[in-house]
Amino acid sequence: MKKLGICVVIYNNNFGSMLQSYATMKYLDKMGIEYDVIRYKKKYTPLFILKSIPRLLNKNIWIDKKRVIQKKVGMLLHKDIKKANNMRNKLFDEFRKKYFVNLADFTYGYKNLKEVGKKYDAYLVGSDQLWLPSGLATNFYNLNFVADEKLKVSYASSFGVKKIPFYQIKRTRDYLNRIQYISTRENSGRDIVKELTGRDVPVVVDPTLLFNKDEWLEILENKKKYQEKYIFAYFLGGNIKYRDEVRKLAKEKNLKIVTIRHMDQYVSADNEFGDYAPYDVGPEEFVNLIRNAEYICTDSFHGMLFSIINHKKFIVFNRYSDKSKTSKNSRIESLCNNLGLEDRRYKEGNIISEIDKNIDYVEVENKIESMRNKSKNYLKEALKDIM
């Protein structure tokens, strides 16, 4: 039987990354496709380091590194938080061991990776912001390591930005032209592909949306963590004003606040935010905190997605300034526009009246189902030769 090699994120301890990768695998299982998850580790040779120097021009790298450093410093200063964070990381490890089963042996170095690029009958790069300009030099998620004659497919891949830096335009165009089937997760990604290659490509749903509410209940069992009614506040960014808005909402509604602290970065103010701040939360527990909440306030794309899947009342905040050239808000903007949920985005003012506005989830589900069917048909067509 023919086999697919897939490139997805499995070692980033981020709820969204883990759940969308898991959803990708689950849907390939449903299609009856045999696959391996390709696991690649770079070799830091002098030549590799030399070729990586241009990456230092990319602002996204420095912004991401700053968050990583801030978190490490925060952990060093607060040993109790570091210990609790290690417990959370252990749950991510357990999730991987339990659910990520079709893992290929690690491939070390790009020379060996190119040999892997001849091994499988076809290759698929998954969702998430795998085509960020800052990752171009790795030549992994753009499938540059795959032999020319092999079938290459992208599913819901994201650039994470609205515009490709001028000095990366040619290389981005070159790798896009090598991929026979391209689909993007955001309207802005579709526009980038059109601008650089002239190709009209579909916008498909994030892998987590390939399954509806009932199907997710079959995939991950619902377990209630708190008996009290609560607001689930899940913020990856450090905007203090957003926390204040949640406090106002909790006071007005007489609800507890459940939050998850210090995920992407250390935010000192979060040490005083929330009535409950559990660290024993892996991807499964994250989904259940959303399922059982009265309201969700988040700046997370997948926090918003699972709120929609579970028909929750929610407000989504911008994690980045819209004026920022490194903003990654396009995925939230795109989905809200496509589903008619523009009014769920936070605006300056009082979220108490905004969050209680009715969401016509019958209409939203109709739109999702239409997009879901188009997405499934895309995968069926792109992978027909290996089914």
Side-chain angles (χ1 to χ4, degrees), residues 19 220 282-292 306 310:
L19 289 163
L220 297 176
E284 289 184 76
E285 294 80 11
F286 171 77
V287 172
N288 284 328
L289 284 173
I290 291 175
R291 280 173 173 160
N292 296 296
F306 278 96
N310 289 285

Side-chain angles (χ1 to χ4, degrees), residues 149-172:
E149 68 275 10
K150 295 289 185 175
L151 174 64
K152 294 172 281 293
V153 178
S154 83
Y155 181 76
S157 301
S158 172
F159 295 95
V161 295
K162 289 186 176 181
K163 192 173 182 63
I164 299 298
F166 73 92
Y167 54 88
Q168 291 189 352
I169 287 177
K170 182 183 183 304
R171 283 179 293 163
T172 303

Side-chain angles (χ1 to χ4, degrees), residues 65-79 81-82 265-267:
K65 285 190 180 298
K66 181 181 177 181
R67 283 198 294 266
V68 170
I69 292 169
Q70 284 177 336
K71 184 171 180 177
K72 286 183 177 179
V73 171
M75 298 296 106
L76 286 172
L77 294 175
H78 301 275
K79 301 296 184 182
I81 296 176
K82 182 178 180 180
Q265 58 184 308
Y266 176 79
V267 181

